[in-house]
Amino acid sequence: MTLALAFLCLFEFGADIVAPLGPRWRWLRSLGWGLFLTWGSVALLLSLLPQPLPAWRMDIETAARLLLGFPGGMLTAYALRRHTFHLLVPLARPHIISMLRMAGLAIAAYSVLAGLIGPAEIFPPLSEATLERFLGVPVFLLRSLAGIVLVGGMLRALEIFEIELSSRLGSLEEAQILASERERMSRELHDRTLQMIYGAGLLLRNLQTQMEPAQAATLDPVIRMLDQAVQSLREILQEWQARPAMASLVDGMERLIREYGLPALMDVETDWQIPADAQLPPTQLRHILAIVSEALSNVVRHARARRVRIAAALKDGRLQIRIADDGRGFGPEAQPGFGLRNMEERAHLLNGRLEIQSQPGVGTTVILEIPWGGIRRGDLYRPLWSGQPQPEEQEGRPGGHVEANQEVAE
């Protein structure tokens, strides 16, 4: 029974590897259990025959090797080969490809040594005794060598996960940079370019009132083109600022945890002491999640942590977010990088504070504390790293900057 279960696990391992290659391979998962039930039925039927117990045990062991061991090993070898050529060759990692090829050959050799060659004398040319007389080496030693090569190849192939992690982190960093640049360009277009075009239109309209009707009519096409330019810029800004709606802060932080794949890398503990349906203004939520995203990125890339705890609590009108890991930490001599300065600037825009506690070998704790409703809304639209305040947003008013432009026009 133990041998049959081990061969079933080998068969299911091969089926799981080959299943992502297409829907036509998924039926193999149920085939392994079907073969296992067939073996059990054979073992039950053989037990009803009048034969000694050692002979019955030899027969069912042979059936397990033929029904599960040999097909399972060959399926796994084929699956490793398919993955090597279809998924890993484009990554251009020759050492991983060669190790996986060796692992595939090792599992194929093991499927022959463990599936076709057994202690029974049913097939004398394929019995253990015949092979040992021919090679002069015990069969169990050959199986062990094949297993060692297989384990070595699979351990070396684990570098694929590091490559995938690096690729995912690179994609996330590119997305963060793109989002920050898009926000900066949106503010520049809204607060400068759009207002300059709008002001030019006001100047032309004032000029029309001082001209003869026939001459004033010649400016109508220019004014219409300026209006179209304003409308086009507004549509572009709306398209850039469109983001997936998130119901709450908790939803946003859980989404970040999934995007970084933290549960697959370390133990993750969350503690949400805020209402699940608590809503935040979109701009405030965007800055908070940007800080949390940078902190989680540092945990994944630099901390080498085994566990991380993410907590958020709302008390006395203040929101506190705490991200603590048990990684390698850093000392006071470490120089803050761009990411840390960005986090501090965003915390300042939220009228809050950011505290980072870290010791070498102990871990790092990032604490963000902000007022739940006391944000300086005008500061939220100020570009990062800019010391010059921008014009205050006047939400809900179609002509948010018309008065200022009218003063300029006058």
Side-chain angles (χ1 to χ4, degrees):
M1 176 64 72
T2 305
L3 183 66
L5 286 174
F7 286 149
L8 174 63
C9 292
L10 178 62
F11 195 101
E12 290 296 305
F13 174 64
D16 284 340
I17 294 178
V18 80
L21 296 178
R24 59 179 180 148
W25 300 99
R26 293 174 185 170
W27 60 275
L28 290 173
R29 291 178 174 174
S30 56
L31 177 62
W33 286 99
L35 293 175
F36 180 76
L37 294 177
T38 302
W39 171 84
S41 302
V42 171
L44 181 61
L45 292 175
L46 291 177
S47 67
L48 301 178
L49 299 177
Q51 59 177 339
L53 180 61
W56 172 81
R57 183 174 62 83
M58 190 74 68
D59 291 341
I60 64 171
E61 178 180 337
T62 302
R65 294 177 183 275
L66 293 177
L67 285 175
L68 291 167
F70 180 70
M74 296 305 293
L75 174 62
T76 304
Y78 174 75
L80 287 176
R81 181 178 177 84
R82 285 291 301 270
H83 267 273
T84 300
F85 283 97
H86 287 77
L87 299 179
L88 299 182
V89 169
L91 296 178
R93 296 295 190 275
H95 62 288
I96 298 180
I97 294 173
S98 61
M99 290 303 297
L100 280 180
R101 285 176 177 173
M102 292 180 59
L105 294 175
I107 194 64
Y110 180 82
S111 67
V112 174
L113 293 171
L116 295 182
I117 300 174
E121 295 293 338
I122 298 178
F123 305 107
L126 296 178
S127 65
E128 291 183 353
T130 303
L131 189 62
E132 288 179 4
R133 287 194 301 268
F134 179 74
L135 296 178
V137 178
V139 175
F140 76 88
L141 180 60
L142 297 177
R143 293 172 183 156
S144 301
L145 290 176
I148 291 173
V149 174
L150 174 62
V151 171
M154 297 305 294
L155 289 177
R156 189 65 182 271
L158 291 178
E159 295 181 18
I160 299 173
F161 294 99
E162 296 182 4
I163 297 173
E164 176 66 21
L165 178 60
S166 300
S167 176
R168 178 176 295 185
L169 287 176
S171 299
L172 289 173
E173 289 178 355
E174 290 178 3
Q176 288 181 345
I177 294 173
L178 180 61
S180 299
E181 186 65 16
R182 183 172 292 180
E183 288 183 8
R184 185 189 66 81
M185 293 178 64
S186 297
R187 287 191 292 263
E188 292 293 329
L189 288 175
H190 183 277
D191 295 336
R192 297 184 182 180
T193 307
L194 186 62
Q195 301 307 314
M196 291 173 65
I197 298 175
Y198 197 87
L202 291 177
L203 287 172
L204 287 177
R205 285 191 173 90
N206 279 341
L207 184 61
Q208 272 187 320
T209 60
Q210 303 172 12
M211 298 173 62
E212 296 293 333
Q215 297 176 341
T218 60
L219 295 179
D220 288 340
V222 180
I223 295 176
R224 283 196 300 268
M225 291 180 64
L226 291 176
D227 291 339
Q228 291 174 1
V230 169
Q231 182 63 27
S232 178
L233 282 175
R234 285 176 176 171
E235 292 175 356
I236 293 174
L237 292 176
Q238 290 176 357
E239 184 178 333
W240 281 2
Q241 295 174 355
R243 286 180 172 81
M246 290 181 291
S248 67
L249 176 63
V250 173
D251 292 340
M253 290 196 290
E254 289 181 347
R255 177 178 61 84
L256 289 176
I257 293 173
R258 292 192 301 270
E259 287 182 354
Y260 279 98
L262 290 182
L265 301 174
M266 62 194 72
D267 295 331
V268 180
E269 179 185 353
T270 58
D271 182 16
W272 312 130
Q273 299 184 25
I274 57 178
D277 58 348
Q279 301 290 320
L280 287 172
T283 307
Q284 180 185 6
L285 183 63
R286 190 160 59 250
H287 282 288
I288 294 174
L289 293 182
I291 295 174
V292 175
S293 176
E294 182 65 32
L296 295 181
S297 175
N298 291 334
V299 172
V300 174
R301 290 183 299 170
H302 307 302
R304 297 181 183 175
R306 291 175 297 179
R307 63 178 58 90
V308 61
R309 185 176 187 273
I310 307 169
L314 182 61
K315 185 177 180 182
D316 298 332
R318 296 188 68 83
L319 172 67
Q320 184 184 87
I321 298 176
R322 181 183 294 262
I323 302 173
D325 65 71
D326 63 347
R328 57 181 182 176
F330 56 88
E333 69 279 358
Q335 297 295 324
F338 175 81
L340 178 58
R341 295 196 300 269
N342 197 5
M343 293 167 64
E344 292 175 343
E345 178 69 12
R346 290 184 185 274
H348 174 71
L349 296 181
L350 292 169
N351 197 23
R353 69 178 184 91
L354 181 72
E355 181 180 356
I356 299 180
Q357 305 170 354
S358 184
Q359 295 183 12
V362 177
T364 303
T365 300
V366 177
I367 304 173
L368 172 66
E369 186 172 323
I370 62 172
W372 182 256
I375 298 107
R376 299 191 299 264
R377 296 191 59 81
D379 286 347
L380 291 178
Y381 295 91
R382 179 167 60 86
L384 297 180
W385 315 111
S386 173
Q388 299 298 327
Q390 299 297 315
E392 182 179 355
E393 276 295 306
Q394 301 180 24
E395 297 183 350
R397 294 171 55 183
H401 293 269
V402 171
E403 296 175 2
N405 289 321
Q406 286 176 342
E407 292 177 0
V408 173
E410 292 174 359

